[in-house]
């Protein structure tokens, strides 16, 4: 109880299956006494492009624009754009980050990737000497909850779905020092019966009830590639 959760949600339609998963998470976690914040990226018209608009005031080097350098310098002097400062504040306060989205092309939707690109800047989320277990966002948990278009069997034929999680869970979250909980994957909700969909939603509700007792995954290559 009293934990803070940020759900970063990337789906255009509130009545979608992803929308139902979001609703359940908000209800269930609130019921537990958690304070839940949702960043509904499409509803916010979140800007996914990393541009010089992310820096307020002067550039560190106006001759040649380097996004990584400029956002790092801007972060240090409090010169990032308002939308980024707001998202960083939500991340800073959260004990748990849940990312809720449909898998697009073996990846997260562009709007969510844009959130990662723009919000998790150097100085805030990581420093090159302070990455992975030393990352700047230590003490937080993360969970990737997503839906797929293909069935579990289809993914099994083409290689483990865990491979796709390496860039997201390891390359972003673990890199920033965030511990990673087992992903929550709902396979092909569009292609299953209404009853099966209800079962999927119930399973998510059940999992959320004991979420805080879970141990994070072992963030080594073995988890992904063995």
């Amino acid at each position: 109880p009293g934990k803070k959760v940020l759900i970063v949600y990337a789906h255009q339609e509130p009545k979608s299956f992803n929308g139902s998963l979001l609703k359940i998470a908000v209800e269930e976690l609130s019921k537990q006494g958690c304070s839940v914040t949702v960043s509904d990226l499409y509803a916010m018209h979140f800007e996914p492009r990393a541009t010089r608009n992310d820096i307020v005031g002067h550039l560190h080097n106006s001759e040649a624009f380097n996004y990584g350098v400029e956002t790092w310098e801007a972060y240090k002097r409090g010169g990032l754009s308002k939308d980024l400062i707001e998202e960083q504040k939500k991340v800073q306060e959260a004990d748990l980050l849940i990312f809720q989205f449909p898998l697009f092309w073996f990846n997260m939707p562009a709007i969510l990737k844009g959130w990662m690109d723009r919000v998790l800047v150097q100085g805030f989320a990581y420093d090159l000497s302070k990455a992975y277990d030393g990352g700047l966002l230590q003490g937080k948990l993360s969970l990737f909850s997503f839906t797929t278009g293909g069935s579990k069997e289809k993914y099994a034929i083409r290689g483990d779905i865990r491979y796709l999680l390496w860039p997201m869970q390891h390359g972003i979250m673990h890199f920033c020092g965030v511990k990673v909980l087992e992903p929550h994957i709902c396979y092909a909700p569009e292609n299953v019966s209404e009853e099966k969909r209800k079962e999927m939603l119930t399973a998510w509700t059940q999992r959320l009830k004991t979420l805080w007792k879970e141990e994070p995954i072992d963030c080594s290559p073995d988890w992904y590639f063995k």
Side-chain angles (χ1 to χ4, degrees), residues 34-201:
C34 299
S35 104
V36 184
T37 303
V38 178
S39 283
D40 181 342
L41 301 183
Y42 286 102
M44 290 157 68
H45 298 287
F46 186 81
E47 168 60 83
R49 293 169 301 180
T51 69
R52 61 180 64 208
N53 296 340
D54 293 350
I55 292 101
V56 177
H58 70 274
L59 290 179
H60 181 67
N61 175 0
S62 52
E63 298 300 303
F65 184 74
N66 177 321
Y67 187 81
V69 170
E70 293 297 344
T71 48
W72 187 23
E73 292 297 333
Y75 175 74
K76 286 190 282 196
R77 63 176 167 82
L80 287 174
S81 60
K82 189 166 161 286
D83 59 338
L84 294 193
I85 290 172
E86 281 171 9
E87 292 307 298
Q88 288 177 345
K89 190 167 182 290
K90 295 176 193 174
V91 171
Q92 196 75 64
E93 291 177 352
D95 297 297
L96 167 66
L97 308 167
I98 296 179
F99 300 99
Q100 181 63 59
F101 59 96
L103 201 66
F104 285 1
W105 292 116
F106 278 28
N107 212 320
M108 59 183 91
I111 199 166
L112 178 54
K113 179 58 166 59
W115 184 93
M116 303 282 184
D117 292 349
R118 294 181 63 227
V119 175
L120 304 176
V121 302
Q122 187 168 356
F124 169 67
Y126 70 95
D127 219 323
L128 295 178
S129 61
K130 298 186 182 78
Y132 294 112
D133 295 337
L136 300 178
L137 299 180
Q138 287 171 65
K140 299 182 187 302
L141 292 169
S142 61
L143 193 165
F144 286 83
S145 169
F146 59 93
T147 59
T148 67
S151 66
K152 194 169 187 172
E153 294 68 39
K154 281 223 172 81
Y155 276 96
I157 296 163
R158 301 190 181 119
D160 201 305
I161 198 162
R162 287 183 172 195
Y163 299 167
L164 319 183
L165 291 158
W166 173 255
M168 302 183 208
Q169 295 185 163
H170 180 76
I172 304 175
M173 286 297 115
H174 186 201
F175 188 81
C176 296
V178 179
K179 288 197 167 14
V180 180
L181 295 174
E182 192 78 37
H184 198 85
I185 309 170
C186 291
Y187 289 95
E190 279 183 21
N191 306 332
V192 299
S193 65
E194 188 55 40
E195 193 182 338
K196 192 89 188 81
R197 276 198 291 275
K198 282 202 176 106
E199 278 171 28
M200 286 181 184
L201 295 175

